[in-house]
Amino acid sequence: MKRQEVLKRETPPHVWAIVDEAVVRRCVGGPAVMAEQLQHLRASSLTPHVTLQVLPFDAGAYAAESTGFIIIRGPEPSLDVVHMSNLSGALYLEREAELKRHKVVFEYLRSQALSSSDTTRLLESLVTEFTERAGRES
């Protein structure tokens, strides 16, 4: 909840997220919770400072499949950094070659992912699906 407050600042950062389809389909916390979470994602993605894309299953194997990463852009390119976290902690990559490799992978993922509008439609359909499941289970 604390991290979400960053998006409510007067001048929020632009967040561009690409998530694997499994993230929005795997039921965590029950169908009602999933419906609520997906509705929140959908609403957030409709704001001007958030871009959300889902990388569909039919895209097949993809770069960075085994690990997620965040590119944190500074006010100038020399301040950019890649953040990677795992069970043991976090790693920050700052070397130009490392940054370049991750930026290329991000662009590759962007091109394979659903468009923002197709992502919105998928989320809407999943909200309906999880809401119906929640109704059947109650």
Side-chain angles (χ1 to χ4, degrees):
M1 298 300 267
K2 197 76 170 156
R3 281 182 262 176
Q4 289 180 25
E5 288 182 24
V6 170
L7 297 176
K8 296 175 184 173
R9 291 180 183 165
E10 189 173 323
T11 308
H14 189 123
V15 174
W16 194 312
I18 302 170
V19 297
D20 190 292
E21 187 172 350
V23 170
V24 296
R25 289 197 179 271
R26 181 172 289 117
C27 189
V28 177
V33 170
M34 281 300 291
E36 184 180 330
Q37 292 295 312
L38 293 173
Q39 182 59 35
H40 177 73
L41 264 182
R42 185 185 97 43
S44 296
S45 74
L46 296 175
T47 62
H49 55 276
V50 175
T51 302
L52 176 64
Q53 291 181 272
V54 170
L55 189 65
F57 290 139
D58 63 11
Y62 57 89
E65 190 167 11
S66 63
T67 184
F69 62 92
I70 299 169
I71 299 172
I72 303 168
R73 296 186 187 260
E76 54 189 71
S78 65
L79 298 175
D80 292 357
V81 66
V82 172
H83 168 85
M84 301 171 70
S85 57
N86 58 41
L87 294 174
S88 301
L91 179 64
Y92 294 90
L93 308 175
E94 300 175 2
R95 287 191 222 130
E96 190 174 330
E98 296 166 334
L99 286 165
K100 184 176 180 181
R101 180 173 41 243
H102 284 82
K103 287 175 180 180
V104 166
V105 168
F106 186 79
E107 291 303 318
Y108 177 72
L109 294 173
R110 271 181 44 174
S111 72
Q112 286 189 305
L114 298 176
S115 68
S116 294
S117 56
D118 287 343
T119 293
T120 298
R121 281 191 286 280
L122 173 62
L123 292 176
E124 288 168 351
S125 119
L126 290 172
V127 166
T128 300
E129 182 181 315
F130 280 112
T131 300
E132 290 172 355
R133 279 179 55 189
R136 287 194 302 269
E137 291 181 9
S138 58

